[in-house]
Amino acid sequence: MTGLVALLTSILTITLRAGTSLIFGTVGEIYTERSGILNLGIEGMMLASAVTGFGVGYYSDSALLGLVVAACMGGLLAAVHAFLTVTMRANQVVSGLSITLFGTGLASFLGERLGPATNNHSLVGLIGPRFSPLVVPGLSQIPVLGALFRQDPLTYALYVLVPLAWYYLYRTRFGLNLRAVGESPLTADAMGVDVIRIRYLYTILGGMLVGVGGAHLSLAYAPGWTENLTGGRGWIVIALVIFAMWNPLRAVLGAILFGGINAVQFRLQAGGTTIASAYLNMLPYLITILVLVAMTWWEALSHRVGAPAALGVPYIREDK
Amino acid sequence: MTDGIRPLTVSAPVLRMRGITKRFPGVLANDRIDLDLYRGEVLALLGENGAGKSTLMNVLAGLYRPDAGTILLGETHVEIDSPRDAAELGIGMVHQNFMLVPTMTVAQNIVLGMPDLPIVPDLEEIHRQIEALSNRYGLLVDPQAYIWQLSVGEQQRVEILKLLYRGADILILDEPTAVLTPQEIEELGHVLAAVQAEGKSIIFITHKMGEVIAFSDRVCVLRQGRVVATKRTAETNPRELARLMVGREVLFQIEKAPADPGETLLVLRHVCADNDKGLPALRQLSLVVRRGEILGIAGVAGNGQRELAEVITGLRDIKTGEILINGRDRTSSSPLQMIESGVGHIPADRMGMGTVGNMAVADNLAMKSYRSPPLAEYGILRREKILRFARSLIEAFGISTPTPQTPVKFLSGGNIQKTILAREIDACASLLVAVYPSRGLDVGATEAVRRRLLEQRDAGRAVLLISEDLDELLTVADRIAVLYEGRVMGIVPTASADVETVGLLMSGSEAAELDGVTSAPSTVGAF
Ligand SMILES: Nc1ncnc2c1ncn2[C@@H]1O[C@H](COP(=O)(O)OP(=O)(O)O)[C@@H](O)[C@H]1O
Ligand SMILES: [Mg+2]
């Protein structure tokens, strides 16, 4: 019995840890998409933030500074996306994919150039500062749910951030403006809401959260830098946004599902199962696809409100 | 003021627009327009589609920037750079296409974007305020309902509430009656009176003379971007207004030669079809249309009109029954096969189904004849031939477009409809199916459309005219078939038809009980 509790506790602990970067990314992308901007650059932004976050952390020996720089990196790339899509009215899919290509390339480049000469200028294999788990005395002893209190500070931050993100979106005047811009920019504009400013603001803010997600990978979840550190998490985020129906609270559900499968797979591998690891590694992605298909199906059947109506559509005031 | 006409109250105007000019690519939408508005008056802004009414008001509402001109509020010059500026000056507009977020509630839509809204709005309080306002002006609507749950009439009330909640003193309503039932139009009249009584001013855009007379104190007539007259409503009449608006005498009655029907062209026998939801829409429907006649289809919307048109144009499969065109079996034919058998289609949805908005007028015109020479040779489009072809149609149908290469979405509704008409009439060899062809069009364009239909009839083609406008059917059609729940209730020759008989059939009364009406099956039996 205690064995089972211990197993569940450990699975939940890993689940939350694996899910943290996804939640940051998903909440960020939800905010971006709520303003009507689709940013497919998440994967590249996460990688670029992860590598700069780790690099800065390594040299300054401050994980916090690394985190801040990573957030700025995410914000910077998102600002490029905002400029291209909002001001230049470029196709959002094309712009987003370019950001991913650019970010991915930039990350491997920096990873091989930013390191110390002693390590062949590579960042790979170095050990830097990290956000370590802080075990809360007492609370962490609760069976299974104690896992909630054996996390690193970034995960703890989510306990506040996620409800706040929800409250802001659905209960404040700013959230009202944001949602209106994503649903019907012309209406928002006619009602005196500054569509352009809002699209810039939330695209950049979303990018910064994605950057924090990237930093969580290189400074907490799997401290250090390796090529393709994200393992496609940027794409998972885009799927999770749909799963979450653009609602920050539901983002947690999705992230936990994905993180949970990760954790179970991890456990299975550690337990020496006979299933080939290639299949196990496939599992989280496969389930993501299945969940998406099921969700879309269910939504079509129940006629639920889905994506922001103006998602992906550039806004021009005097356009007809 | 151009002609010195003022309302009864002698006071300075609350608003003066001077020399407003606004250009769009290829169109001069507003040409040095002067307009005065007095306190507590309803000013009608009358003009055909494309006259520039919405553009002028969008300038006032801060959505469009004028290329030239000034605006004075009272005695002060104002710059209106954004809708927010306009709101701060007490100017609000209900747009022709409503500006509402469907996934939000009435209250959220009303307070959206208000600068002095607290960071966390107190919705309870807002609901109370909205209810108080609704009661005061008779604009009943539930503040907690979602917009998508509301009827169009209710949505319009929300739009008006939006302005009143912000304390607007100048209310602009862009064609507010276009979407309302006669009862709702009457209610709107009461609301306007209540608003006006508080000393607020209203600009009421319309292209219907009757509404000018019923609602306004003064009327300003726009034609092709210019003010052609400003009159006190009491001192004018519909006929004069129509002449000013169109620029020539308008014939309210189209003279029409008697029909000379020839051989049978279209036959539907016991056709059954489902609607999009899979429910029966056409039940054992039988019809005959001959060459040289216009068969009108009357009925309350949603009684199978849409499905009927789709079945004949090959857009919808039928479950049982048969369709014959020119004596040949055309049951379950594809749209292309229907086009090839000479069926032209003027769809109800002009922008969605009738045209491709982003494509040039020329390409839209060529969209039915591009497959074969001379417009295409060996599968390659001949641009110069398409252009020549388009120019001739633009000329023949009087389509007003800057160039044949202009995207069709930039044209006014009437000109888009003319584009469709031109294409379909050019390509149609035998049968024209016209669905609500004059809906939303102004007098001039409506007249043009009706003339074209008669022309087709006189040229020996068959026309099926689906309309919700009984007057239109009575003026244009030769026989009227009344649809009710997917069945033909009866067929009345227009010569002997009266509104009452047709109205009874529309409500589902059996033809056998009425004089002078043929019931549908016997018509087919005779055939
Ligand atoms: N945003 C726009 N872009 C390009 N052309 C436009 C735009 N808005 C209006 N127009 C053109 O300006 C003219 C006047 O249009 P509008 O003001 O909508 O007329 P009305 O409201 O009187 O029917 C039309 O020819 C129309 O096609
Ligand atoms: Mg208009």
Side-chain angles (χ1 to χ4, degrees), chain A residues 57 111 134 161 166 205 243 272:
Chain A
L134 304 172
L161 180 86
W166 179 88
L205 180 81
F243 176 86

Side-chain angles (χ1 to χ4, degrees), chain A residues 167 170-174 176-177 179-180 183-184 186-193 305 315 317-320, chain B residues 22 62-65 81 83-84 99-101 103-104 109 112-113 115 117-121 162 166 409 411:
Chain A
Y167 188 81
Y170 289 104
R171 289 290 178 271
T172 70
R173 161 180 129 196
F174 306 121
L176 187 67
N177 291 350
R179 284 186 292 139
E183 288 294 337
S184 172
L186 183 58
T187 302
D189 191 12
M191 301 298 283
V193 178
V305 273
Y315 176 64
R317 188 183 272 176
E318 296 198 3
D319 199 18
K320 201 176 176 186
Chain B
K22 176 73 191 172
L63 222 43
Y64 290 176
R65 297 278 302 139
D81 285 341
R84 175 163 237 155
M99 302 259 188
L100 296 167
V101 184
T103 51
M104 291 186 180
N109 269 281
L112 176 65
L117 198 66
I119 289 180
V120 182
K162 239 159 62 169
R166 275 148 219 257
K409 68 174 176 180
L411 304 193

Side-chain angles (χ1 to χ4, degrees), chain A residues 38-299:
Chain A
L38 175 70
N39 187 352
L40 295 181
I42 313 282
E43 175 76 0
M45 287 155 58
M46 267 192 159
L47 280 168
S49 309
V51 75
T52 41
F54 177 73
V56 169
Y58 176 79
Y59 286 111
S60 66
D61 201 27
S62 158
L64 192 64
L65 191 63
L67 178 75
V68 171
V69 172
C72 293
M73 187 69 196
L76 186 72
L77 288 177
V80 173
H81 183 65
F83 175 72
L84 289 175
T85 57
V86 179
T87 305
M88 306 306 290
R89 298 180 201 122
N91 181 304
Q92 299 186 5
V93 171
V94 174
S95 166
L97 292 178
S98 325
I99 299 274
T100 283
L101 287 177
F102 174 74
T104 312
L106 180 74
S108 11
F109 176 78
L110 293 179
E112 292 306 322
R113 293 297 141 83
L114 278 190
T118 50
N119 196 32
N120 240 340
H121 298 288
S122 168
L123 283 175
V124 179
L126 296 179
I127 296 173
R130 57 182 294 194
F131 293 101
S132 326
L134 304 172
V135 178
V136 181
L139 288 176
S140 57
Q141 300 310 312
I142 304 171
V144 187
L145 286 186
L148 283 168
F149 303 99
R150 298 154 181 268
Q151 301 294 338
D152 61 70
L154 289 180
T155 310
Y156 289 138
L158 283 180
Y159 300 172
V160 184
L161 180 86
V162 170
L164 202 68
W166 179 88
Y167 188 81
Y168 183 89
L169 192 58
Y170 289 104
R171 289 290 178 271
T172 70
R173 161 180 129 196
F174 306 121
L176 187 67
N177 291 350
L178 168 59
R179 284 186 292 139
V181 168
E183 288 294 337
S184 172
L186 183 58
T187 302
D189 191 12
M191 301 298 283
V193 178
D194 191 336
V195 175
I196 304 299
R197 212 189 72 194
I198 287 203
R199 289 198 157 172
Y200 262 97
L201 191 70
Y202 291 102
T203 303
I204 293 174
L205 180 81
M208 293 180 77
L209 287 174
V210 168
V212 172
H216 184 264
L217 292 176
S218 65
L219 291 171
Y221 180 65
W225 168 251
T226 52
E227 192 91 342
N228 193 23
L229 179 72
T230 55
R233 277 184 176 72
W235 301 115
I236 300 283
V237 160
I238 287 159
L240 287 182
V241 171
I242 301 170
F243 176 86
M245 309 272 309
W246 293 266
N247 177 342
L249 288 187
R250 289 188 45 155
V252 176
L253 240 87
I256 285 183
L257 182 77
F258 181 82
I261 302 159
N262 247 347
V264 169
Q265 160 221 343
F266 191 71
R267 271 274 140 197
L268 283 175
Q269 253 163 10
T273 144
T274 51
I275 308 170
S277 69
Y279 290 106
L280 285 176
N281 290 338
M282 229 185 271
L283 205 59
Y285 304 95
L286 201 62
I287 296 204
T288 307
I289 295 176
L290 289 179
V291 165
L292 271 183
V293 170
M295 284 284 303
T296 320
W297 210 327
W298 176 69
E299 263 148 38

Side-chain angles (χ1 to χ4, degrees), chain B residues 27-290:
Chain B
V27 206
L28 185 55
N30 287 163
D31 185 6
R32 289 162 290 158
I33 289 187
D34 291 345
L35 182 116
D36 285 8
L37 182 70
Y38 293 87
R39 190 182 136 83
E41 76 165 343
V42 176
L43 171 70
L45 197 55
L46 180 70
E48 292 197 283
N49 276 313
K53 308 178 296 288
S54 301
T55 303
L56 181 68
M57 289 302 114
N58 275 320
V59 165
L60 186 56
L63 222 43
Y64 290 176
R65 297 278 302 139
D67 299 321
T70 53
I71 300 174
L72 281 100
L73 211 59
E75 294 303 319
T76 42
H77 271 272
V78 289
E79 287 290 327
I80 307 178
D81 285 341
S82 69
R84 175 163 237 155
D85 291 350
E88 273 163 17
L89 296 168
I91 300 170
M93 175 161 174
V94 174
H95 294 265
Q96 200 164 355
N97 304 313
F98 292 161
M99 302 259 188
L100 296 167
V101 184
T103 51
M104 291 186 180
T105 67
V106 169
Q108 288 172 334
N109 269 281
I110 288 178
V111 299
L112 176 65
M114 285 186 65
D116 47 358
L117 198 66
I119 289 180
V120 182
D122 178 359
L123 279 177
E124 300 285 310
E125 174 62 20
I126 292 169
H127 290 159
R128 269 195 298 279
Q129 290 167 347
I130 293 173
E131 267 157 19
L133 264 188
S134 327
N135 291 332
R136 185 158 128 211
Y137 294 101
L139 288 159
L140 296 185
V141 60
D142 173 11
Q144 305 195 48
Y146 282 90
I147 298 297
W148 59 264
Q149 298 171 319
L150 304 183
S151 71
V152 190
E154 288 171 308
Q155 293 185 13
Q156 183 174 73
R157 281 179 232 157
V158 179
E159 286 279 21
I160 298 176
L161 278 171
K162 239 159 62 169
L163 309 189
L164 295 170
Y165 190 85
R166 275 148 219 257
D169 291 317
I170 295 174
L171 288 82
I172 306 163
L173 308 181
D174 195 349
E175 308 223 4
T177 57
V179 293
L180 302 182
T181 65
Q183 290 79 5
E184 286 173 324
I185 294 178
E186 206 182 309
E187 282 168 32
L188 179 66
H190 297 311
V191 173
L192 295 189
V195 173
Q196 194 182 4
E198 298 190 347
K200 296 177 191 285
S201 314
I202 298 166
I203 301 179
F204 186 100
I205 302 183
T206 182
H207 61 250
K208 296 180 187 151
M209 274 72 62
E211 291 170 1
V212 173
I213 304 291
F215 295 129
S216 72
D217 302 309
R218 285 192 315 135
V219 48
C220 172
V221 187
L222 246 56
R223 188 169 74 229
Q224 294 179 349
R226 295 216 184 97
V227 175
V228 290
T230 307
K231 304 233 160 221
R232 211 169 285 157
T233 309
E235 292 165 4
T236 184
N237 58 60
R239 202 175 183 90
E240 183 188 24
L241 290 175
R243 186 176 49 74
L244 287 168
M245 183 165 111
V246 185
R248 60 184 163 79
E249 280 303 322
V250 181
L251 304 166
F252 281 105
Q253 196 67 42
I254 298 183
E255 68 276 24
K256 165 175 116 176
D260 178 20
E263 70 217 68
T264 303
L265 188 83
L266 169 77
V267 179
L268 301 191
R269 264 200 217 117
H270 307 297
V271 167
C272 291
D274 288 348
N275 63 16
D276 288 342
K277 294 191 187 111
L279 302 170
L282 300 181
R283 306 167 204 245
Q284 300 282 336
L285 183 136
S286 301
L287 270 186
V288 171
V289 191
R290 295 170 205 282

Side-chain angles (χ1 to χ4, degrees), chain B residues 332 385 464:
Chain B
S332 357
K385 296 221 168 115
L464 187 85

